Amino acid sequence: MPLPSKLSDTSQVHLEQLISEQTQEGPNLDLKRQLPTAWDGGAKHELFADVSAFANAGGGDLIYGMEEDDEGRATALVPLQDNSDETTLRIADLLMTGIEQRIPGMQVQPVPVTDGGVAGTVFVIRVPQSWAGPHRVKSNFKFYIREGNRKREVDVPELRGLFLRTESQAQRIRDFRTQRLGRILTGELPCRLIPGPKWVLHVIPTQAALGIGSLNPLPYLDFTRQIPCLGVEHPGHPRINIDGALGVRNTNSEGLTHGYTQLFRDGFVEAVYTLPSRGGETFLPGVAYEKYAADFVTRIRTELIYAGYDPEMAILMSLLDADRVELSFNRFNWNVDMSQGFFDRKTVILPEVLISGNEPPLMALKPMFDLVWQAAGMQGSINFDAGGEWRAHA
């Protein structure tokens, strides 16, 4: 029996079932009796090689605290006495710095266990099949892949195949965004939008980029769940369509709305917002839009986790008819010329920002916010202080 798809649900019961079923090590499972006694160079290298091998293959779970027999079958729990919080953070930090590129969606989960009256922890590292690789170990600049119940170095022809595979997955994201922006521009929408420049966020869980998982739209129809929309605290009015679940902001007397959020059945998300106008001018509010984005990411992450997706996701931002938009802020507080705060092109398409499940969205989205301000001629977002804290200076 595999461990739960939502790793945080893993309990001692799940681990004991691996033992009762004599689950054997294989392409997606690696068992270790103990953690290294010291995280020296050799121990770190072994961890990086094991984890990157899973990411470069089909993904898998690496379990520390599980005895195995000569055939690689799970036989007993070994409660580890390491401090669970410190060890979890240390492993996560090591993996962040020891492998390149960063592996999307990787998780480290401590599981409390008791065996024979001894209490301790089993640590599970979940490594998804990666669309951002191939990944190599920094300590020797080599690539590894999982084959059966072992790892091995990748040869040159295989390495080329890994690059082609991950490129195809990245292409899936680009194709989705291109197709959706084209439909927004031509008005092929699931509801009628108020005319004007559009702010668009696409949210793509790393699992969805790999074609893993699905989203059931039915809980939104009976109000069991709520669909967040950009720019407002209240949820959108739910509908079901062929694509999945749709949340629509309040409509005016003509049946037009400022925006919607479409939850696609494959886990992809599209949020569209017609920017507000005052006196014939259209504004992207310099403080508010950053708060709106962070709030939306927080709420949509909750929905995606409910649907069974890991919390790591890529955020892609676009501005349509951007040459008609002013990025508004208090100009009297900043030494700027009249060209700054305006976009010099009709369409602004920003690269994706990858955020993990434990990052505060305002901080995680800073690279995206900086690019928005730079696209409008500024040095970067003026809402962050020198230490990188969000302070809303606009």
Side-chain angles (χ1 to χ4, degrees), residues 137-148:
V137 176
K138 286 186 177 180
S139 54
N140 65 355
F141 300 107
K142 291 184 178 180
F143 297 85
Y144 294 86
I145 194 167
R146 185 80 177 178
E147 185 178 73

Side-chain angles (χ1 to χ4, degrees), residues 285-288 290-291 328-335 362 366 370 373 378 380-394:
V287 173
E290 294 186 358
K291 291 196 294 186
S328 60
F329 58 99
N330 190 339
R331 291 177 172 271
F332 292 104
N333 294 338
W334 302 90
N335 183 23
L362 274 171
K366 183 179 184 299
D370 282 340
W373 287 84
M378 303 289 286
S381 174
I382 61 179
N383 297 311
F384 290 83
D385 62 20
E389 296 289 330
W390 196 81
R391 300 297 186 190
H393 293 304

Side-chain angles (χ1 to χ4, degrees), residues 76-185:
L77 294 175
V78 183
L80 303 179
Q81 303 305 304
D82 304 66
N83 181 290
S84 61
D85 291 339
E86 290 181 3
T87 301
T88 299
L89 288 173
R90 181 166 194 179
I91 292 173
D93 288 343
L94 287 172
L95 293 172
M96 287 280 287
T97 58
I99 299 171
E100 56 182 15
Q101 305 290 326
R102 176 182 168 187
I103 300 173
M106 186 169 52
Q107 303 171 78
V108 182
Q109 181 66 39
V111 182
V113 298
T114 301
D115 187 68
V118 178
T121 307
V122 168
F123 296 91
V124 182
I125 303 175
R126 172 154 294 172
V127 188
Q129 180 187 15
S130 179
W131 54 268
H135 304 271
R136 70 177 182 179
V137 176
K138 286 186 177 180
S139 54
N140 65 355
F141 300 107
K142 291 184 178 180
F143 297 85
Y144 294 86
I145 194 167
R146 185 80 177 178
E147 185 178 73
N149 62 353
R150 67 185 181 92
K151 63 180 179 293
R152 63 172 176 80
E153 289 183 29
V154 176
D155 59 30
V156 173
E158 289 174 319
L159 185 59
R160 180 176 180 273
L162 288 176
F163 276 107
L164 291 175
R165 186 195 75 192
T166 52
E167 173 59 25
S168 68
Q169 292 158 351
Q171 187 65 45
R172 184 183 180 205
I173 295 176
R174 291 194 294 266
D175 289 347
F176 168 80
R177 185 192 211 182
T178 300
Q179 178 194 59
R180 294 304 307 173
L181 290 180
R183 291 189 176 182
I184 295 169
L185 288 168

Side-chain angles (χ1 to χ4, degrees), residues 19-60:
I19 297 168
S20 65
E21 295 178 355
Q22 294 188 307
T23 304
Q24 193 168 17
E25 287 185 316
N28 308 110
L29 181 66
D30 193 1
L31 305 176
K32 308 280 188 182
R33 189 179 193 279
Q34 297 283 353
L35 285 163
T37 55
W39 286 106
D40 56 17
K44 291 178 184 178
H45 174 81
E46 187 72 10
L47 172 67
F48 302 151
D50 286 332
V51 169
S52 64
F54 273 133
N56 288 333

Side-chain angles (χ1 to χ4, degrees), residues 281-316:
E281 301 292 331
T282 302
F283 300 92
L284 181 67
V287 173
Y289 98 90
E290 294 186 358
K291 291 196 294 186
Y292 291 159
D295 177 67
F296 179 80
V297 167
T298 298
R299 292 190 291 158
I300 203 65
R301 183 160 56 188
T302 299
E303 299 310 305
L304 291 168
I305 291 173
Y306 174 81
Y309 290 96
D310 293 333
E312 186 162 279
M313 59 189 67
I315 313 296
L316 302 91

Side-chain angles (χ1 to χ4, degrees), residues 148-277:
N149 62 353
R150 67 185 181 92
K151 63 180 179 293
R152 63 172 176 80
E153 289 183 29
V154 176
D155 59 30
V156 173
E158 289 174 319
L159 185 59
R160 180 176 180 273
L162 288 176
F163 276 107
L164 291 175
R165 186 195 75 192
T166 52
E167 173 59 25
S168 68
Q169 292 158 351
Q171 187 65 45
R172 184 183 180 205
I173 295 176
R174 291 194 294 266
D175 289 347
F176 168 80
R177 185 192 211 182
T178 300
Q179 178 194 59
R180 294 304 307 173
L181 290 180
R183 291 189 176 182
I184 295 169
L185 288 168
T186 58
E188 297 179 62
L189 303 172
C191 57
R192 298 169 60 207
L193 288 182
I194 291 172
K198 305 291 188 294
W199 175 27
V200 182
L201 285 184
H202 286 115
V203 179
I204 302 174
T206 54
Q207 282 179 297
L210 292 166
I212 300 171
S214 62
L215 186 145
N216 178 12
L218 296 182
Y220 298 96
L221 190 59
D222 62 12
F223 296 94
T224 303
R225 308 295 305 178
Q226 296 182 335
I227 303 176
C229 287
L230 274 175
V232 288
E233 293 183 3
H234 58 78
H237 299 286
R239 306 176 189 174
I240 301 295
N241 58 18
I242 190 65
D243 292 317
L246 176 71
V248 180
R249 291 178 50 144
N250 290 335
T251 56
N252 62 17
S253 59
E254 299 176 345
L256 302 177
T257 178
H258 265 101
Y260 68 86
T261 300
Q262 175 75 61
L263 307 182
F264 291 88
R265 296 174 191 266
D266 60 3
F268 287 40
V269 179
E270 176 176 279
V272 180
Y273 177 31
T274 298
L275 293 172
S277 297

